[in-house]
Amino acid sequence: MIIYKAADYHDMSRKAANIISAQIIMKPDCVLGLATGSSPVGTYKQLIEWYEKGDLDFSKVTSINLDEYKGLSPDSDQSYRYFMNNNLFDHINIDKSRTFVPNGLESDARKACNDYNNIIANSGGIDLQLLGLGHNGHIGFNEPGEAFEKETHCVNLTESTIEANKRFFASEADVPRQAYTMGIKNIMQAKKILVIVSGESKAAILKEVLYGPITPAVPASILQLHNDVTIVADEAALSLIPQ
Ligand code: F6R
């Protein structure tokens, strides 16, 4: 595991964008696993800037997102599909038909999840998976207690995740209670994993993830067993880790 210390959110975003750019340059038809949330917004901005400068070409890239709220349509401005279009896809030359997000409108959970596992398998596998870290150690929407061997599945969101995500909705009551998410098994099958972490509020969980026991109680702790993980975290997020 490689840990890069960034000065702040901006620096974290540049470093993460550099790693993603390297992946695209080395393998133009790569498969990127992507995330939503506050952590990757700056990374996506930086990628857009380099695309606009002519330094990056997304035309052959495939992207597969981690998760989507169950029940939200792609047009809903709270859906993760909308987030991805707005924060990245609409600003680069990626072929939208090769950008995948779980189908939040599919009410048959088994079908939605099987379809998504097939998309991942048919892509040939994820070359680089970008992850943010939840305050409770979740990755994707794999909440504490989830079995490590799961593939894409439907989850009930925990109170802490609903609380953390309510900032994007008009009220807490509007936050969907379920989501489709890639499972830990899908994530661990990615060839490389890049985790970005920013802010003091993530310092305690980041320490547990990196140095605590590997346990489903801290889903991201399983990353200790992956052979190609890069963490890019800012000083505030690394503040509890002995240097
Ligand atoms: C997003 C996702 C989540 C977030 C995590 C951190 O697609 O799957 O696991 O990465 O909740 O969210 P932020 O970055 O908003 O702190």
Side-chain angles (χ1 to χ4, degrees):
M1 184 179 286
I2 301 173
I3 304 175
Y4 288 117
K5 185 175 179 176
D8 52 22
Y9 179 85
H10 179 69
D11 188 32
M12 174 196 80
S13 303
R14 278 179 62 86
K15 285 181 163 57
N18 260 305
I19 293 168
I20 297 170
S21 298
Q23 173 67 67
I24 297 168
I25 291 165
M26 298 287 284
K27 188 178 176 194
D29 61 349
C30 64
V31 180
L32 298 178
L34 297 178
T36 61
S38 308
S39 305
V41 171
T43 304
Y44 295 153
K45 269 202 185 114
Q46 184 64 77
L47 290 173
I48 293 166
E49 201 180 305
W50 288 334
Y51 162 72
E52 285 170 348
K53 277 193 182 156
D55 291 341
L56 275 178
D57 176 11
F58 291 84
S59 61
K60 298 196 180 82
V61 170
T62 295
S63 73
I64 306 185
N65 262 74
L66 282 167
D67 42 18
E68 179 61 284
Y69 289 114
K70 186 176 177 209
L72 292 194
S73 88
D75 304 330
S76 155
D77 57 6
Q78 308 304 342
S79 75
Y80 285 175
R81 161 56 74 181
Y82 186 96
F83 175 101
M84 289 309 301
N85 287 345
N86 205 30
N87 284 285
L88 184 64
F89 301 151
D90 285 345
H91 310 286
I92 57 175
N93 66 335
I94 198 162
D95 175 351
K96 279 250 186 90
S97 68
R98 279 211 299 270
T99 65
F100 299 97
V101 179
N103 181 1
L105 285 184
E106 176 57 70
S107 55
D108 178 345
R110 193 190 293 199
K111 180 173 182 335
C113 297
N114 282 344
D115 287 352
Y116 213 59
N117 287 329
N118 288 335
I119 286 168
I120 298 168
N122 293 338
S123 75
I126 294 169
D127 291 297
L128 175 63
Q129 175 66 58
L130 176 65
L131 295 176
L133 177 65
H135 288 98
N136 59 5
H138 75 212
I139 43 179
F141 271 131
N142 294 281
E143 301 285 15
E146 291 265 10
F148 283 150
E149 66 271 19
K150 281 193 180 168
E151 297 191 289
T152 308
H153 58 290
C154 182
V155 288
N156 297 321
L157 304 188
T158 61
E159 279 312 313
S160 111
T161 299
I162 292 167
E163 174 67 24
N165 290 4
K166 73 176 187 199
R167 66 193 194 275
F168 301 113
F169 292 81
S171 77
E172 189 184 314
D174 293 329
V175 186
R177 268 32 190 183
Q178 289 191 308
Y180 295 133
T181 184
M182 271 189 208
I184 297 285
K185 183 172 173 184
N186 303 112
I187 294 171
M188 288 296 281
Q189 282 170 344
K191 291 170 196 127
K192 291 173 194 291
I193 297 181
L194 169 60
V195 191
I196 49 177
V197 194
S198 169
E200 212 184 324
S201 69
K202 301 257 177 94
I205 193 65
L206 183 58
K207 185 178 175 196
E208 268 194 74
V209 165
L210 298 181
Y211 300 107
I214 298 168
T215 162
V218 181
S221 63
I222 190 73
L223 298 175
Q224 292 177 34
L225 296 181
H226 192 282
N227 65 9
D228 194 347
V229 176
T230 301
I231 312 275
V232 182
D234 63 14
E235 280 176 18
L238 286 169
S239 58
L240 295 179
I241 289 167
Q243 307 298 314

